[in-house]
C-alpha cells in the first residue's frame, strides 16, 4: 500500500474532508492521529475508523502552542514517529468587512493560518531531526481553498487566511526543501461537507454553485482525500510548493455556465 507503515496527523479530522483523509490514509496503510478540538466527535471518528487500521484521537486547539506540542508528543507516544501532517483544521465566520469584529477576525486567522504555522513548525522540527539522523523525509499537506484566489466579501477572515496559507505553503516548501521534506496544498472548490449540505435542498443556492462549476456537480470529500493521499505518497516525490485546485473547473472560468441537467 502507498502509505504502508507511515504515521499521519490529520487536524480537524473528526468530520468532513479531514475524516475522509483519515479514512483514505488508513486504507492506504498509514497509522493516523485524528486531532480535533471536539473531543466527542474525535473519539467517535476514531471508533468508526478503527476497523480500517490503527487510529487515535487527540483533543487539540491548533491555535494554542501547548496543545500543538501535546499533539506531537501524543502521536510519538502512540506510534513512535510522524511522517505526514495534514493541516486541515479550519473555521468560517460570516460578517461584512465594515462591521466585522476584530475578535472574530483574529479567531479565524488563529485557527486557519496560525494553526497551520504552529502545527507545521512543530512537525517539521521532528521531520528535520529524523532526516539528520538518516531517516526518510516526510511531507506536509495544507488545506487551502479556491478562496486563496477568489474573495468572499462576507467571509473576510476565511478569504484572508486561505490567501496567507497559500504563501505559507510556499515558504515552508522552500525552507524544508534542503531536507527533502515536501510541502504542498490542496484548494477545494465546493465540496459536500456538513457546511455545504445545508444548501443541498435549496434549489436557488445549488443553482448558484453549479453555475460557477463547469463539471456541473458538487465535489465529494473522498475526492479531496485522494489528492491528499497522492501528495503524501512517493508518487508525488518531485512536487513541492504547489497548490492543487480541485474545484470542478471553477478557477479557469470567466463566465457562468448553465447548471440545468438533462431530463
Amino acid at each position: 500500500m502507498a502509505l504502508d507503515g507511515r504515521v499521519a496527523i490529520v487536524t480537524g479530522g473528526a468530520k468532513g474532508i479531514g475524516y475522509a483523509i483519515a479514512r483514505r490514509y488508513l486504507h492506504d496503510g498509514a497509522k493516523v492521529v485524528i486531532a480535533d478540538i471536539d473531543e466527542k466527535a474525535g473519539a467517535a471518528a476514531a471508533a468508526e475508523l478503527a476497523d480500517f487500521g490503527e487510529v487515535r484521537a487527540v483533543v487539540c486547539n491548533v491555535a494554542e502552542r501547548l496543545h500543538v506540542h501535546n499533539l506531537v508528543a501524543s502521536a510519538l507516544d502512540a506510534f513512535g514517529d510522524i511522517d505526514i501532517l495534514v493541516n486541515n483544521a479550519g473555521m468560517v465566520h460570516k460578517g461584512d468587512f465594515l462591521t466585522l469584529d476584530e475578535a472574530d477576525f483574529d479567531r479565524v486567522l488563529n485557527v486557519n493560518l496560525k494553526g497551520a504555522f504552529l502545527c507545521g513548525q512543530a512537525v517539521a522540527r521532528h521531520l528535520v531531526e529524523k532526516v539528520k539522523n538518516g531517516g526518510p523525509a516526510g511531507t506536509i499537506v495544507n488545506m487551502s481553498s479556491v478562496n486563496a484566489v477568489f474573495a468572499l466579501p462576507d467571509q473576510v477572515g476565511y478569504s484572508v487566511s486561505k490567501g496567507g496559507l497559500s504563501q505559507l505553503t510556499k515558504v515552508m516548501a522552500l525552507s524544508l526543501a534542503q531536507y527533502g521534506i515536501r510541502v504542498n496544498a490542496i484548494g477545494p472548490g465546493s465540496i459536500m461537507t456538513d457546511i455545504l449540505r445545508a444548501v443541498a435542498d435549496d434549489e436557488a443556492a445549488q443553482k448558484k454553485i453549479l453555475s460557477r462549476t463547469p463539471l456541473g456537480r458538487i465535489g465529494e470529500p473522498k475526492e479531496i482525500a485522494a489528492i491528499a493521499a497522492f501528495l503524501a505518497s512517493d508518487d508525488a516525490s518531485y512536487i513541492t510548493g504547489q497548490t492543487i485546485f480541485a474545484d470542478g473547473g471553477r478557477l479557469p472560468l470567466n463566465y457562468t455556465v448553465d447548471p440545468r441537467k438533462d431530463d
Side-chain angles (χ1 to χ4, degrees), residues 234-255:
D234 293 339
D235 288 340
S237 59
Y238 201 53
I239 301 175
T240 195
Q242 304 300 313
T243 299
I244 297 178
F245 289 99
D247 61 1
R250 183 179 175 189
L251 272 179
L253 190 68
N254 65 354
Y255 55 86

Side-chain angles (χ1 to χ4, degrees), residues 72-197:
V72 171
S74 295
L76 293 174
D77 286 345
F79 299 125
D81 200 359
I82 303 168
D83 301 286
I84 304 163
L85 168 67
V86 179
N87 277 316
N88 172 72
M91 65 172 297
V92 298
H93 178 84
K94 190 172 184 178
D96 182 76
F97 173 72
L98 292 175
T99 57
L100 183 67
D101 287 340
E102 179 184 356
D104 291 325
F105 180 82
D106 287 345
R107 189 160 50 95
V108 175
L109 267 291
N110 281 342
V111 173
N112 295 7
L113 186 55
K114 181 183 175 183
F117 163 73
L118 290 175
C119 290
Q121 186 184 64
V123 171
R125 285 171 174 166
H126 167 76
L127 297 178
V128 168
E129 284 304 309
K130 186 163 62 169
V131 170
K132 287 181 177 179
N133 291 322
T139 186
I140 296 173
V141 179
N142 294 325
M143 194 56 61
S144 186
S145 167
V146 291
N147 295 111
V149 179
F150 297 128
L152 296 172
D154 62 350
Q155 291 287 351
V156 182
Y158 184 80
S159 297
V160 170
S161 70
K162 294 304 182 180
L165 191 60
S166 177
Q167 286 300 99
L168 180 62
T169 298
K170 296 174 185 177
V171 169
M172 290 170 66
L174 294 177
S175 298
L176 299 173
Q178 62 183 307
Y179 304 104
I181 299 166
R182 299 181 297 102
V183 185
N184 293 289
I186 304 172
S190 298
I191 306 299
M192 190 58 78
T193 60
D194 289 343
I195 294 175
L196 197 59
R197 204 172 300 279

Side-chain angles (χ1 to χ4, degrees), residues 190 202-213 256-257 259:
S190 298
D202 185 329
E203 186 175 345
Q206 190 173 88
K207 184 176 181 179
K208 182 177 181 180
I209 292 171
L210 296 182
S211 72
R212 64 191 189 203
T213 309
T256 57
V257 297

